[in-house]
Amino acid sequence: MGVGTESWVVMATARSPTNIAVIKYWGKRDESLILPINDSISVTLDPDHLCTTTTVAASPAFDSDRMWLNGKEISLSGGRFQACLREIRKRAHDVTDEKKGLRISKEDWQNIHVHIASYNNFPTAAGLASSAAGFACLVFSLAKLMNVSEEYGALSAIARQGSGSACRSLYGGFVKWVMGNDSSGSDSIAVQLVNEAHWSDLVILIAVVSSRQKETSSTTGMRESVETSPLLHHRSKVVVPSRIVQMEEAIRSRDFASFASLTCADSNQFHAVCLDTSPPIFYMNDTSHRIISCIERWNKLKGTPQVAYTFDAGPNAVMIAPNRKTATDLLCRMLYYFPPSPDTELSSYILGDKTILQEAGLKSMGDVEALPPPPEMADKLTSRVSGEVSYFICTKPGQGPVLLADENESLLHPQTGLPK
Ligand code: DP6
């Protein structure tokens, strides 16, 4: 049975993670295909705490492609959505649905419209790489629906055309986006370096920093850096190639000291490139700078890196600890410097894996108030100001996209293909 006047609906639902780069992507050599000027490496974050869920539906009864994000209809007319839809349709294969007695051919897929509903389990406005999880999930779920093969990183090359960093969200663990050489972009793909089990001791603490200012988008920021920053050209040609080799080695051998110093240095150089851009771009704010100082001071006191930090195109800090013990020390420090306001419940200030609170011996606000100043602050007067951090999320390295088989998890109605 091909496409006719029938009113069947076929659907697929998937969940995809977000990722944080430890060697940053900043700068394109091709704006429309989204080809970068250097390789980058990221860690995928546990989708239990930060993910996008997407349902895609196809039906001959739909008269246009439509999309809803967090319940609100959004336009699909942008070039990036269109590129992902076009590239997926191009690679569609025959699909047989025995339960529905359907056979949808490769050719049929070219004319069937899709409905897409997407939902983030974290605030879209928090600046936590929602476009990476979003485009990875869109491409992964459409590929499952239309039976597109995943061979040779093909899906990552499609997700890349939605948003560069999205290509790295197609795999779990540590992932490298190889910049490639070909002008078609076919070799600019993501590859998994190690899966999430390889370095499962790592604990990731994200400080969602309060910010009033509307930031320059990554897309605009990196274009301006490519056009005006001499430091960016030195970085992409000289610094990143050798850092990538060292970072891969640090990850393979679970060498935390080397991993942490490379991660911090790369984040700091990325923000130096932003300052070197004309006019300069400021993504970090005073709170971000205070977080860096307190980690640097702690690392210096211990003589070896305790925790790594990295910041993307916004003020939020992503901190990576080598194990649970150091993560509890980090949490106590963060709560000492950035306590919740008195009317905030501790359990709504620490999101994600809340068991870290018990492990740190913090049951109530009284415990937070009683935290002693960290030893590296002994000779300094420190203020404890609430309100600078909106909340923390405790998470860990996680897996790549998965298909959700349970119909209850679908975001679209199985008969109408409209949002539930
Ligand atoms: C600072 O992937 O958001 O997060 O490709 O234009 O969509 P576009 O940019 P995007 O840039 C991410 C930049 C970064 C670093 C990184 O994730 O590697």
Side-chain angles (χ1 to χ4, degrees):
M1 189 189 293
V3 181
T5 50
E6 304 90 340
S7 58
W8 49 263
V9 178
V10 286
M11 304 205 302
T13 300
R15 186 181 86 155
S16 294
T18 183
N19 71 77
I20 177 79
V22 291
I23 300 290
K24 305 290 185 194
Y25 145 56
W26 195 252
K28 299 180 182 73
R29 62 180 200 276
D30 183 314
E31 288 261 348
S32 66
L33 286 170
I34 310 198
L35 300 178
I37 57 171
N38 56 253
D39 294 349
S40 54
I41 294 179
S42 60
V43 55
T44 298
L45 305 183
D46 188 346
D48 282 350
H49 306 131
L50 293 161
C51 73
T52 298
T53 303
T54 299
T55 299
V56 289
S59 169
F62 298 165
D63 47 22
S64 61
D65 293 335
R66 296 175 72 184
M67 176 161 183
W68 293 263
L69 175 61
N70 296 327
K72 252 188 78 182
E73 184 154 13
I74 60 163
S75 165
L76 276 175
S77 64
R80 290 172 172 216
F81 281 118
Q82 289 302 316
C84 291
L85 287 167
R86 184 186 64 236
E87 294 303 312
I88 287 282
R89 282 192 172 112
K90 229 194 251 174
R91 291 166 179 78
H93 285 107
D94 296 358
V95 170
T96 311
D97 186 325
E98 271 160 22
K99 262 205 234 145
K100 293 192 165 84
L102 277 177
R103 191 179 158 274
I104 309 166
S105 73
K106 210 177 152 110
E107 293 72 35
D108 292 338
W109 284 121
Q110 310 310 314
N111 306 310
I112 303 177
H113 291 294
V114 291
H115 282 183
I116 303 160
S118 225
Y119 169 81
N120 295 329
N121 73 347
F122 56 94
T124 309
L128 296 167
S130 55
S131 71
F135 276 107
C137 209
L138 173 75
V139 167
F140 184 82
S141 52
L142 281 172
K144 291 292 171 196
L145 184 73
M146 299 188 186
N147 195 15
V148 176
S149 130
E150 283 177 58
E151 272 176 1
Y152 310 116
L155 296 189
S156 76
I158 302 175
R160 188 200 75 226
Q161 296 175 58
S163 182
S165 53
C167 74
R168 298 184 311 237
S169 271
L170 279 166
Y171 302 97
F174 282 90
V175 183
K176 174 172 161 181
W177 174 9
V178 184
M179 64 179 283
N181 294 311
D182 202 280
S183 57
S184 73
S186 61
D187 58 354
S188 188
I189 57 170
V191 289
Q192 185 178 54
L193 295 175
V194 292
N195 70 19
E196 60 279 13
H198 170 78
W199 206 350
S200 56
D201 287 348
L202 295 180
V203 180
I204 301 170
L205 186 68
I206 303 170
V208 177
V209 170
S210 318
S211 149
R212 271 155 287 125
Q213 128 199 7
K214 170 89 191 84
E215 284 123 22
T216 312
S217 75
S218 305
T219 308
T220 308
M222 67 176 83
R223 184 184 304 131
E224 290 173 357
S225 296
V226 167
E227 282 164 6
T228 63
S229 167
L231 177 58
L232 178 57
H233 296 284
H234 173 69
R235 165 178 165 75
S236 65
K237 298 264 153 346
V238 181
V239 180
V240 174
S242 78
R243 241 176 223 170
I244 288 276
V245 175
Q246 294 173 59
M247 182 58 97
E248 282 192 55
E249 181 48 35
I251 291 168
R252 285 197 202 285
S253 58
R254 296 187 208 91
D255 175 350
F256 187 78
S258 167
F259 169 78
S261 60
L262 289 164
T263 298
C264 298
D266 203 71
S267 172
N268 290 332
Q269 187 175 69
F270 154 51
H271 291 278
V273 164
C274 292
L275 269 186
D276 191 46
T277 299
S278 174
I281 308 165
F282 310 100
Y283 284 126
M284 294 194 286
N285 63 16
D286 288 354
T287 309
S288 320
H289 293 145
R290 281 187 67 202
I291 293 174
I292 293 181
S293 304
C294 86
I295 294 175
E296 289 289 354
R297 219 176 271 133
W298 181 19
N299 288 346
K300 192 169 171 209
L301 177 87
K302 293 286 186 173
T304 158
Q306 303 297 296
V307 166
Y309 57 80
T310 185
F311 295 78
D312 272 352
N316 298 336
V318 177
M319 295 164 276
I320 309 176
N323 51 50
R324 304 285 298 183
K325 168 74 185 74
T326 313
T328 60
D329 289 350
L330 171 66
L331 182 68
C332 290
R333 279 174 166 79
M334 285 296 126
L335 289 175
Y336 177 82
Y337 295 116
F338 306 103
S341 48
D343 53 347
T344 308
E345 286 279 325
L346 191 51
S347 67
S348 59
Y349 197 53
I350 310 294
L351 307 181
D353 176 8
K354 292 174 195 276
T355 59
I356 194 81
L357 277 170
Q358 281 91 61
E359 287 167 45
L362 301 168
K363 289 194 201 66
S364 65
M365 279 294 285
D367 295 331
V368 172
E369 277 155 27
L371 281 169
E376 63 274 16
M377 290 308 295
D379 58 339
K380 294 261 187 325
L381 273 178
T382 344
S383 57
R384 300 187 69 189
V385 199
S386 61
E388 287 190 36
V389 171
S390 303
Y391 52 88
F392 291 93
I393 304 171
C394 180
T395 186
K396 60 179 196 305
Q399 63 173 349
V402 288
L403 203 56
L404 304 178
D406 184 350
E407 268 218 355
N408 293 324
E409 305 210 58
S410 149
L411 303 173
L412 293 169
H413 200 281
Q415 269 87 45
T416 63
L418 290 167
K420 276 181 173 170

